[in-house]
Amino acid sequence: MKVLFCSQPFQENKVDETYEYEYTCAKQLGLDIHLISLEQLIYQDNPLAAVKQIQPSPEKVLAIYRGWMLKPFLYQKLYDALLAKNIVLINTPEKYVHCHYLPESYGVIKDFTPLSVWLHKKEIDASFQNVYRIVNRFGQAPIMIKDYVKSRKHDWNEACYIPDASDKEKVQQVTSRFLELQQDELNEGVVFREFVKLQFLTHHSQSNMPLSQEYRVFFLDGEPMYMANYWEEGQYDDTPPDLQPFLEVAKKIKSRFFTMDIAKLENGSWTILELGDAQVSALPEQADRCEFFTRLKRKLP
């Protein structure tokens, strides 16, 4: 198994500083690590140059990418460039999209996650009529907005949270601000989600958004591989969550390597907040990076 990290911008022989600790742990464990250039992939549109430091393999070999999120068309280019060298990323482009875009996996997790509706960016008209139409399903309930991948949760009051879905003025205001802030980073469209009451943990020290007891769980081939507290602030319970209720749905997710973010509701039960492709899902601050790669090596020697 190969592990592929992003290089530092404009320094193709040095790992991106965000992933330096992961890189060091993987290297200490004897994993076969390599660097790829996102500058060549994204800005130069040269995927072959992006992977030029990786030698072709005489036979097919598995690889895992650990780096920044890629839009699906870029992941496809990276996948194809590596495949030309007999190197196969753990998730095909189709499996990458399945967990990267919430609408793609919603049908699998809908019974375990807040009610969600969405619009492609081409469907968002100047009058916001399509937006009003789909959020009407929530009545007067509070909702949140995100794109197909990410929210602006640290811009909580201005570009994330809508206290009343029937308040057209507020819906337009928050949606407009969200789109303004996302600009070219907007992923496909907008998703409106039911705001569920989670068990309060604390308020974020910078954005003041309410934090809850959340965990990020990494799954490999349908089984939980590693779990960590999502937030570094607040006092978590000593007892970790029981993952049993999520094991059956995890086996239905069309991905070999993915993350599931779960949170504790006020009533003590648990909900899925979102899925992600584990190759581009960050390890939380308090995660033990060496333990993460130890378990990965044990499962995929």
Side-chain angles (χ1 to χ4, degrees), residues 1 3 25-33 293 296-297 300:
M1 176 190 66
V3 185
C25 286
K27 186 175 182 178
Q28 289 175 344
L29 288 167
L31 291 168
D32 187 9
I33 54 178
F293 282 101
L296 190 60
K297 181 180 179 181
L300 296 172

Side-chain angles (χ1 to χ4, degrees), residues 41 47-48 50-51 76-87:
L41 177 66
L48 293 179
V51 300
Q76 177 79 60
K77 289 183 177 184
L78 176 62
Y79 186 90
D80 291 343
L82 290 167
L83 193 59
K85 296 191 171 195
N86 246 359
I87 299 165

Side-chain angles (χ1 to χ4, degrees), residues 174-185:
V174 174
T175 303
S176 296
R177 183 60 174 153
F178 175 79
L179 294 171
E180 178 186 358
L181 291 173
Q182 286 297 87
Q183 297 185 9
D184 294 340
E185 295 302 311

